[in-house]
Amino acid sequence: MPQSYRHSRYTHDMRFPTIIAAFIVTFSVLAQGRDHGPPPSATAARAGTGIGWIPEVAAAAPTQGRRTRGAGTSADVAKALERAKTEKRAVLWYVPTLPGSPMDRQPEIDRYMMAGLWSHPEVAAMVTRRFIPLKGKPSRDDATKFGLKTGDVVEPAIVLLKPDGTVAFKVDRITTQQADWMMTLLDRELAKLGDLARASESTGKAQDPLEAARGAFLDGDRARMEATVATLPDGAPAALLRAAVARRFGRLDDAAKALESAGTGPDAQLERARVHLAREAWNDATVAAEAALASGGPTAQEAALLKGMAQFRGGHHDDARKTWTALAAAAPQSPFAWKAAAEAEGHGPFARGFEETGTPPEGALLAAPTGTTVPRTLQDLPWLTRRSVTYLLEMQGDDGGFVDSQYDFGGRDSLPDVYMACTALAGLALLEWRDVDPARCDAAVEKAWRYLANEAHSADDNTQERMWNHSYRMLFLARWLELGAKDPVKVKAKLQEVVKLAEAQQKKGGIFAHEYPNPFVSATVLHALRQAKKAGANVNPAALKSGEEAIAKTRDDAGRFSYGTGKGDRNETFAAGRMPACELALLLGGKSSQANLVAAVETAFKHHDAYESVRKYDDHAPPHRIGGFFFYWDMLTRSHAIAAVDDAATRKAFIEKQLGLMLGLPEFDGRFIDSHELGKPYGTSMALVILKLCSAPAP
């Protein structure tokens, strides 16, 4: 999907499939590491540098300009292992990227980790006290030696090494960050390593019970925490520590009970804020953080950071950024200010929706985790939909928009259209699952409507992503009219306006384009136009007819549609994802058959694993050149195609298979993501719409 494709002189060449394959690979290599917006400030660039990494991490070094190429970190790995032997500890190797990786936004991923997990004070304490912390890209030899082959491992990754260089554990594909999840995982894996799991030097010595318990807490040693906290005497300091330990174990009622004996000082108020954040009780967390902040003492900086986090997820995004900005300006030497600056500037994971404060849910920690994905069962569906809907409600901006995405292949000035598309999808998801929380969903849909109805929110002259903007707005508005919009006259008028705006973007010959002319965006537009027509909008028949004819020209005899405007594609795997959408567009126009539609869906299922394997990449990835950003689009359009299958038994079997695949995709927090630059709200919105299609009654 890189924008430069649209300049290719081979667009209409019959040799297109072969040529574009080489082009995608070449462009992806050249584009990786390009700037995606302003770099972080000096304060924000320090986030995560408080950990004593090997090598010493200079502020901003990994975050400006093009990504680091070259030899990697073999000498640093050797240095870390030598220290591990001397100090009898495991090495925690944070791998921000890999040799030859197709990941485009490597600096952005690193910033999220540095301002997220590695900025959390409890995670940082555990890593510093119990590991030899190493950060860096492996050399090609080390990637082979330590099992870090690109494709098998997707950044970011964490590897635990024994002093002899043996890999004890690794986890990659980390797209949801939650401190307790990570600390529990690390402590569990350390416990398997015998002497390497021992206490840190400072806590291994005889101490009074309170100091021993504090040391266990800072070490993140769950067994010692439980043992030492049981021996604590009465008193406010002990009560405060009991509360903190209970919070870490997810026993939030016990934590609240312990805090009743902890007093009302700033430390106690700060812990109350942490407990409320773990409950996801945003208003209560704001109040407690403000009480701690009012003290002006040592707790004030962390209190300000937490206040901003509570404000943000409580629906006050602008206030949160003001809180973070004020902290960054007032205390630029504080690690809490470093994270606050990163969040305020858009470089942190929390404001982008990747970081959670809530206690990890039951089943979040797998014995052998595949990244942060945790498959669920059909019985979990009500929980999943509730978690996902709540998340969207929290991520909606003050103006009604969803503006977290960094999908800027069409250029930074195309992002407003991306925001419009994401807002429309979120609105559609909230319509579909309104019953989860009717009052809040209704209010959020009204806010989204005000955002989507304002054409000033669309991009100006850059039209690279315009068709996603128009297509998803048509789907949202048409569905809202079907379900009963409060003001159907205004909604229908806007739908009609968007229909005409979409038709005006049609190219000569009937094709539509996003970044470049292609059949899959054309199929998306035609499907949306037909939904708009069903909702009562006037759609130009000529636009539908010429669009269908343009798509038909890209289909070969095997039912494969090209990536551009050539004919077909030799690589069935690369073509499989777009086949259902394109075949459905032709079927709805009377230019295909039920047999062809069923075959397209079957082909998509056949190659599903290839798409799943690269869905967390943010660019085209080998071996089939599939982009991670296609994943949920493929799943949504496949679901639309399945709904159009006439044979009830075939449709039922497809729905069951599709639902099974969807249940294998949630993050451990019950939300969804594919390619990180599109954003977690985008992935969650797509998933909710797909899940509704999988559970809707047959037409």
Side-chain angles (χ1 to χ4, degrees):
M1 293 177 77
Q3 64 173 25
S4 295
Y5 163 66
R6 68 182 186 275
H7 302 303
S8 174
R9 64 185 177 89
Y10 301 111
T11 302
H12 301 284
D13 196 308
M14 293 297 289
R15 297 169 296 158
F16 175 79
T18 302
I19 294 167
I20 195 61
F23 178 84
I24 290 171
V25 173
T26 302
F27 180 83
S28 295
V29 170
L30 292 175
Q32 287 164 354
R34 63 190 175 92
D35 290 335
H36 295 278
S41 66
T43 302
R46 297 181 69 181
T49 60
I51 293 175
W53 299 104
I54 297 175
E56 182 179 354
V57 177
T63 60
Q64 293 181 351
R66 297 181 64 81
R67 66 176 181 168
T68 302
R69 301 181 184 275
T73 58
S74 291
D76 296 322
V77 174
K79 181 179 178 180
L81 290 174
E82 281 300 313
R83 273 191 57 190
K85 293 174 185 176
T86 301
E87 300 179 30
K88 295 184 174 59
R89 299 191 189 193
V91 173
L92 183 148
W93 186 0
Y94 160 46
V95 181
T97 189
L98 295 159
S101 171
M103 192 74 78
D104 178 24
R105 296 162 181 80
Q106 295 168 8
E108 282 74 13
I109 289 176
D110 184 37
R111 291 168 189 161
Y112 296 151
M113 289 291 286
M114 293 296 279
L117 285 174
W118 308 137
S119 286
H120 193 286
E122 294 169 12
V123 175
M126 181 182 188
V127 170
T128 301
R129 291 164 69 95
R130 296 184 74 188
F131 295 93
I132 306 300
L134 168 68
K135 175 187 175 181
K137 171 185 172 183
S139 66
R140 292 188 180 276
D141 287 345
D142 279 346
T144 300
K145 177 180 178 181
F146 296 110
L148 298 173
K149 180 184 176 183
T150 292
D152 295 339
V153 175
V154 178
E155 63 265 59
I158 296 171
V159 183
L160 301 188
L161 299 177
K162 297 178 183 179
D164 64 1
T166 303
V167 175
F169 176 77
K170 63 185 171 188
V171 60
D172 65 330
R173 294 172 166 85
I174 301 169
T175 45
T176 295
Q177 300 184 39
Q178 205 283 335
D180 289 335
W181 182 86
M182 179 54 65
M183 289 186 289
T184 303
L185 180 64
L186 293 177
D187 184 59
R188 184 190 75 182
E189 297 305 318
L190 263 184
K192 301 174 183 177
L193 301 184
D195 289 343
L196 299 180
R198 66 185 178 82
S200 66
E201 291 294 337
S202 60
T203 57
K205 302 172 184 177
Q207 295 169 309
D208 68 61
L210 194 59
E211 287 304 309
R214 282 178 179 147
F217 181 82
L218 292 172
D219 283 348
D221 189 325
R222 293 170 69 84
R224 283 176 45 240
M225 274 192 265
E226 288 274 60
T228 55
V229 79
T231 68
L232 291 178
D234 293 332
L240 182 59
L241 193 50
R242 285 194 188 94
V245 170
R247 168 177 56 81
R248 286 277 285 274
F249 278 83
R251 300 193 294 258
L252 302 183
D253 288 342
D254 291 346
K257 182 68 174 176
L259 282 169
E260 293 176 3
S261 302
T264 58
D267 288 334
Q269 296 290 9
L270 187 60
E271 184 57 34
R272 286 187 179 91
R274 297 187 190 110
V275 171
H276 289 313
L277 285 171
R279 288 188 189 278
E280 299 180 349
W282 312 118
N283 291 338
D284 291 339
T286 301
V287 171
E290 286 175 340
L293 183 58
S295 71
T299 62
Q301 292 155 10
E302 184 177 359
L305 174 65
L306 298 187
K307 176 185 175 182
M309 296 170 80
Q311 288 174 315
F312 191 92
R313 291 298 280 270
H316 306 289
H317 294 194
D318 293 342
D319 288 343
R321 292 188 176 94
K322 290 176 184 176
T323 298
W324 289 328
T325 300
L327 171 58
Q333 300 306 313
S334 167
F336 298 111
W338 303 344
K339 176 177 173 58
E343 297 294 350
E345 296 170 20
H347 299 299
F350 188 81
R352 294 283 179 189
F354 302 120
E355 183 180 9
E356 295 297 321
T357 63
T359 297
E362 184 178 351
L365 206 65
L366 300 179
T370 304
T372 46
T373 297
V374 173
R376 298 289 178 174
T377 67
L378 188 59
Q379 288 69 38
D380 295 317
L381 187 57
W383 175 80
L384 283 172
T385 54
R386 185 173 64 255
R387 291 288 295 168
S388 291
V389 166
T390 300
Y391 173 73
L392 292 183
L393 293 171
E394 293 167 354
M395 288 299 295
Q396 187 175 32
D398 298 71
D399 61 358
F402 288 77
V403 298
D404 60 283
S405 180
Q406 293 218 76
Y407 185 89
D408 62 354
F409 277 117
R412 297 296 293 178
D413 53 348
S414 73
L415 280 171
D417 282 334
V418 175
Y419 301 154
M420 289 284 264
C422 290
T423 301
L425 285 168
L428 179 58
L430 294 173
L431 283 174
E432 299 291 9
W433 294 97
R434 174 184 179 273
D435 289 348
V436 170
D437 192 334
R440 292 182 69 196
C441 285
D442 286 347
V445 166
E446 287 290 338
K447 283 178 66 177
W449 154 246
R450 290 192 292 272
Y451 186 92
L452 294 168
N454 186 351
E455 294 302 323
H457 287 141
S458 294
D460 292 331
D461 297 330
N462 186 323
T463 61
Q464 298 302 305
E465 313 300 345
R466 188 62 50 84
M467 297 322 301
W468 303 118
N469 170 349
H470 293 337
S471 296
Y472 292 138
R473 280 200 291 170
M474 285 189 281
L475 290 183
F476 165 72
L477 295 169
R479 183 62 169 152
W480 200 17
L481 285 169
E482 182 181 0
L483 294 175
K486 185 184 295 184
D487 192 340
V489 174
K490 284 187 177 179
V491 174
K492 187 175 179 180
K494 174 52 71 171
L495 176 60
Q496 185 65 64
E497 179 186 352
V498 178
V499 165
K500 295 309 174 187
L501 289 171
E503 291 175 350
Q505 291 291 319
Q506 194 168 28
K507 307 294 183 184
K508 184 178 180 180
I511 202 78
F512 288 90
H514 92 287
E515 302 167 18
Y516 47 91
N518 64 75
F520 55 86
V521 77
S522 299
T524 302
V525 179
L526 294 186
H527 177 260
L529 286 171
R530 289 194 176 277
Q531 295 302 109
K533 184 178 180 180
K534 283 175 58 178
N538 294 317
V539 176
N540 184 354
L544 296 173
K545 183 175 183 293
S546 62
E548 292 151 6
E549 291 172 348
I551 293 173
K553 291 176 182 178
T554 70
R555 186 185 191 276
D556 63 21
D557 292 340
R560 298 185 294 251
F561 295 82
S562 70
Y563 188 68
T565 53
K567 190 175 183 65
D569 196 309
R570 296 175 188 173
N571 186 334
E572 183 180 87
T573 304
F574 185 45
R578 56 187 175 270
M579 287 171 61
C582 295
E583 207 67 67
L584 176 62
L586 296 183
L587 178 70
L588 294 176
K591 296 178 176 63
S592 187
S593 66
Q594 281 287 320
N596 285 345
L597 184 69
V598 168
V601 173
E602 288 174 339
T603 301
F605 277 131
K606 173 184 172 183
H607 295 285
H608 176 86
D609 288 349
Y611 286 76
E612 159 64 11
S613 69
V614 300
R615 73 179 168 97
K616 291 195 175 183
Y617 278 124
D618 64 0
D619 207 342
H620 294 269
H624 299 290
R625 316 184 309 278
I626 299 166
F629 36 66
F630 283 126
F631 184 81
Y632 277 121
W633 179 87
D634 291 333
M635 293 291 278
L636 177 63
T637 55
R638 188 190 307 169
S639 295
H640 287 151
I642 290 170
V645 171
D646 283 344
D647 183 75
T650 302
R651 186 175 62 248
K652 182 175 183 290
F654 282 166
I655 287 173
E656 290 175 352
K657 187 166 187 175
Q658 183 82 331
L659 180 58
L661 292 173
M662 287 300 301
L663 290 172
L665 297 172
E667 294 287 280
F668 66 75
D669 65 344
R671 286 78 184 243
F672 296 80
I673 187 171
D674 53 9
S675 182
H676 72 93
E677 92 291 348
L678 274 168
K680 197 171 175 181
Y682 161 85
T684 300
S685 299
M686 279 286 203
L688 282 170
V689 176
I690 296 164
L691 288 169
K692 179 58 70 171
L693 287 167
C694 288
S695 58

